[in-house]
Amino acid sequence: MELPLVGLLAGSFAVSALARRLGVSPPLLLVLIGLAVSAVPGVPDYALDPELILTLVLPPLLYSAALDSSYLRLRANLRPIGMLAVGAVLLTTVAVGLAAWWLVPGLPLASALVLGAVVAPPDAVAAAAVGRQLGLPRKVMTILGGESLVNDATALTAYRVAVAVAAGAGYGIAEGLGVFVLAAVGGAAIGWALGWLVHRLRLLLHDGVLESALGLLVPFVGFVVAEEVHASGVLAVVLAGLYLGHRSPAAHPVARIQDRAVWQAADTVLEATVFALIGLQLTAVVSGVGPAVGTLTAVGLLLVLVALAARVAFVFPTTYLRPLARRRPGWTSPSWRHAAVVSWAGMRGVVSLAAAAGIPLTTMSGAPFPGRDEVVFLTFVVTVGTLLLHGLTLPTLIRRLGVQGSEEAADALAEAQAQNDAGRAAVARLDDLDDGDPLHAATVAELRSRVQARTNAAWERLGGPIAGGGDTPSAVYRRLRRAMLDAEREVFVRYRDQRRIDDEVFRRVQHEMDLEEVTLLRE
C-alpha cells in the first residue's frame, strides 16, 4: 500500500494546488476528480479505515480549527452555535432516519437512525473555504466554524447510541440520554483539564521548540483519553484547543510562529486527502449494494433534500423565535440573508463516511448488522450529493444575496487605536528604563523611531490612496527595506557557496532576515 498511499497524498495535493490557482473550491474539485479516478480500471481500493480517520485525521483538524478560533466570539455566539450543533443535528438525525425507514423496504428503524446520525453533522471546511474567499461576515463565519467544532460530538454520540440499539444492546431512552450527557460533560471536562495542564507545562518549559512539540501531542492525547472513558473525544480536543489558543500570548514566541506554520501545512494536506478519499469510495460502496444501486441512488438523492429541508426548517424558526425576555434594548433581528447562507451551508464530509464504515459487521447475537451496506451506500450518496449541491450553489447564493463582511474599516480603526496606545506604553516603559547614559542615546532614539513608524503604519492603513498615486511613507520604507534584505541575502548566499561561512551560520542569519521580511509583508 506504500505506492498507492504516496499517489493519494501527491495527487490530492496537486489537485488542491490546481484548485487554488484556478480560484475554485478545492474540496469540490477533489471530490469530482476522486469520483472520476475511482471509475478508472486498476485504481487501488482506497477503503476508508474508520479508526484511522477518527483517531489520526479528525483530531488534528479539529484542534487546528479550535486554536485558530476566537473564544470570545464563540462565547458571544454560543446560542446559535449550540442550537445548530445540537438541535439541528438531532432534528436531522430523526428526519433522515424516519425518511430512510419509510423509503427503504426492510430497513429497521434503528439502522435508519444510524444513517440519520451519520449524515447529520455538516462539515464546514468547504463552506468556510467559500466564505473566506467571498468575504462572508465575521459573525456568519463564527457560527459556521463553531458549529463544525461541536456538531461532530453530537452526531457521533447519537451514532453510538443508535448503533448500540441496532446491535441489540437494549438501550432505552433513559440510557441513551445518560450516554449523551456523560459524553458531553466528560469530554468538556477532559478537554479543559488537558488544556490547563499543557498550558502550565508550557510556562515551565521556556523552550519554543519543546512547547510546539508538546502541542502536537494534544489532539491525539485528548481524543484517545476521552474515548477510553466513553466521553466525547471531539469535545475534549475542541476545548483543549480553545483553551490553549486563548492562552497563547503567554507561550514562547517561537512556539506561536511554529504552531501557525505547522498547523496550516497539516490542514492543507489532511483536508486535501480526506476530500479526495470521499470521491474514491465510489467503487467500494457500489459493490456493496449490487443491483440495487439505481434504486438506492434515487433514495439517497431524496435524503439529500430531506437533510436540506430539515436544516432550513430549523435555522429560520430558531433565528427569529428568540425568547422575548432575552431581547435586550437595542437588539435587532438577524438578517434573513445571513440565515439563508447558514441554512444552505450543509455540506457533509469524511466524518460521515468514516462513521458509516465503522458500523460493526454483526450484531451482539452474531447476526449480520441489518442494512449495513445500504446505510454505507446512502451515506456516500448524501455526502457527495450535499458537497456537489451546496458547493456549486453556495457561492452564487452569497453573491446574489450580497452577504459580505464590512469589518475591514472597523478592524483597521481598532488596530490603529490599539497600536497607538501600545506605542505610548512602550515609550513610557523606555523612559522608565532610560538611565540617561549618552552612549545609549542613539539606541533610545532608534527604538522611539521604530515605535513611531509602526504606529504611523497602522494609521496609514485607514486612509485611501495618496493623491497622485504615490506611496505612503510606510510603504516606501517596506519597499526599500525589502530591497536591502534581498541584497543582504545575496551576499550571505555567495559567502555560503564559497564556504566562507558554514551552513549553520547561514541558516541562523537567514531565519532572522525571514522574520523581518514576514513582518514587512504582513504590514
Side-chain angles (χ1 to χ4, degrees):
M1 287 297 294
E2 289 83 1
L3 188 58
L5 178 60
V6 171
L8 171 64
L9 293 173
S12 58
F13 178 81
V15 173
S16 182
L18 176 64
R20 292 190 179 208
R21 178 64 61 88
L22 297 176
V24 300
S25 171
L28 186 61
L29 187 60
L30 284 162
V31 171
L32 289 174
I33 292 183
L35 289 170
V37 170
S38 66
V40 176
V43 172
D45 181 15
Y46 288 99
L48 277 179
D49 183 344
E51 291 296 327
L52 178 68
I53 297 296
L54 296 179
T55 306
L56 296 181
V57 176
L58 180 62
L61 286 175
L62 288 172
Y63 181 71
S64 175
L67 282 178
D68 201 37
S69 299
S70 167
Y71 163 75
L72 298 176
R73 288 208 312 268
L74 290 176
R75 188 177 66 179
N77 293 279
L78 190 60
R79 177 186 174 275
I81 291 173
M83 295 291 287
L84 286 171
V86 179
V89 168
L90 294 180
L91 176 63
T92 305
T93 298
V94 174
V96 172
L98 291 177
W101 179 49
W102 181 62
L103 291 170
V104 181
L107 184 67
L109 178 59
S111 298
L113 290 175
V114 170
L115 171 64
V118 163
V119 302
D123 184 335
V125 170
V130 173
R132 283 192 297 267
Q133 184 178 3
L134 298 179
L136 277 179
R138 184 170 294 155
K139 181 180 179 67
V140 176
M141 292 294 293
T142 299
I143 292 174
L144 292 176
E147 177 194 9
S148 70
L149 288 175
V150 184
N151 61 8
D152 287 336
T154 305
L156 291 176
T157 304
Y159 159 82
R160 184 185 303 170
V161 174
V163 167
V165 173
Y171 272 15
I173 296 178
E175 290 84 353
L177 289 176
V179 170
F180 195 89
V181 172
L182 175 63
V185 175
I190 291 172
W192 184 89
L194 178 62
W196 181 88
L197 177 62
V198 171
H199 177 62
R200 294 302 182 276
L201 289 175
R202 281 184 161 184
L203 295 180
L204 295 175
L205 289 173
H206 297 295
D207 186 312
V209 175
L210 289 179
E211 291 181 31
S212 186
L214 178 62
L216 292 175
L217 301 176
V218 172
F220 306 106
V221 172
F223 190 88
V224 171
V225 170
E227 291 294 323
E228 281 295 316
V229 298
H230 304 291
S232 172
V234 171
L235 280 180
V237 172
V238 169
L239 263 294
L242 287 175
Y243 187 97
L244 291 172
H246 191 63
R247 300 286 183 176
S248 64
H252 197 284
V254 172
R256 289 196 297 271
I257 294 173
Q258 290 184 158
D259 283 350
R260 185 176 182 86
V262 167
W263 288 115
Q264 284 183 343
D267 285 349
T268 300
V269 174
L270 291 177
E271 289 172 4
T273 303
V274 296
F275 280 107
L277 277 173
I278 291 175
L280 291 169
Q281 301 308 299
L282 177 62
T283 303
V285 298
V286 168
S287 64
V289 295
V293 60
T295 302
L296 288 176
T297 300
V299 171
L301 295 177
L302 290 174
L303 294 180
V304 170
L305 299 179
V306 172
L308 171 61
R311 185 171 177 86
V312 172
F314 184 87
V315 168
F316 278 93
T318 55
T319 298
Y320 293 103
L321 296 182
R322 184 174 182 176
L324 294 177
R326 299 191 61 186
R327 296 188 178 184
R328 302 182 182 92
W331 183 84
T332 58
S333 179
S335 169
W336 69 268
R337 294 178 176 84
H338 293 183
V341 171
V342 171
S343 66
W344 201 255
M347 290 166 274
R348 272 61 181 176
V350 73
V351 172
S352 296
L353 290 177
I359 297 174
L361 297 175
T362 61
T363 64
M364 297 183 68
S365 63
F369 193 96
R372 184 184 186 278
D373 290 338
E374 288 80 0
V375 169
V376 172
F377 181 82
L378 290 173
T379 301
F380 174 79
V381 175
V382 173
T383 300
V384 174
T386 54
L387 277 170
L388 296 180
L389 173 64
H390 298 297
L392 291 172
T393 59
L394 184 60
T396 302
L397 178 70
I398 293 173
R399 293 191 186 98
R400 290 287 181 86
L401 295 180
V403 180
Q404 291 184 332
S406 57
E407 295 95 357
E408 290 83 0
D411 286 348
L413 178 60
E415 180 184 354
Q417 291 173 335
Q419 185 66 60
N420 186 70
D421 292 343
R424 290 182 178 179
V427 171
R429 181 67 58 86
L430 184 62
D431 290 339
D432 293 339
L433 298 175
D434 187 5
D435 56 6
D437 189 338
L439 296 177
H440 297 168
T443 301
V444 171
E446 181 181 355
L447 289 174
R448 287 180 182 273
S449 66
R450 289 188 180 185
V451 171
Q452 189 62 47
R454 179 168 293 186
T455 302
N456 291 342
W459 286 112
E460 287 170 4
R461 283 194 286 271
L462 285 171
I466 300 296
D471 291 330
T472 63
S474 296
V476 173
Y477 170 80
R478 292 194 300 272
R479 175 167 52 82
L480 296 178
R481 182 55 187 149
R482 289 186 64 195
M484 292 172 64
L485 287 172
D486 289 338
E488 292 177 29
R489 190 177 286 108
E490 290 173 2
V491 172
F492 280 106
V493 170
R494 185 170 70 250
Y495 272 48
R496 181 203 60 182
D497 294 343
Q498 295 173 355
R499 306 192 67 175
R500 297 170 67 178
I501 60 172
D502 188 74
D503 271 303
E504 184 175 344
V505 176
F506 171 75
R507 281 192 288 266
R508 183 171 62 249
V509 175
Q510 179 177 245
H511 179 66
E512 294 172 356
M513 290 190 294
D514 288 344
L515 290 176
E516 183 177 356
E517 187 166 8
V518 167
T519 302
L520 294 172
L521 288 171
R522 183 265 173 195
E523 293 180 348

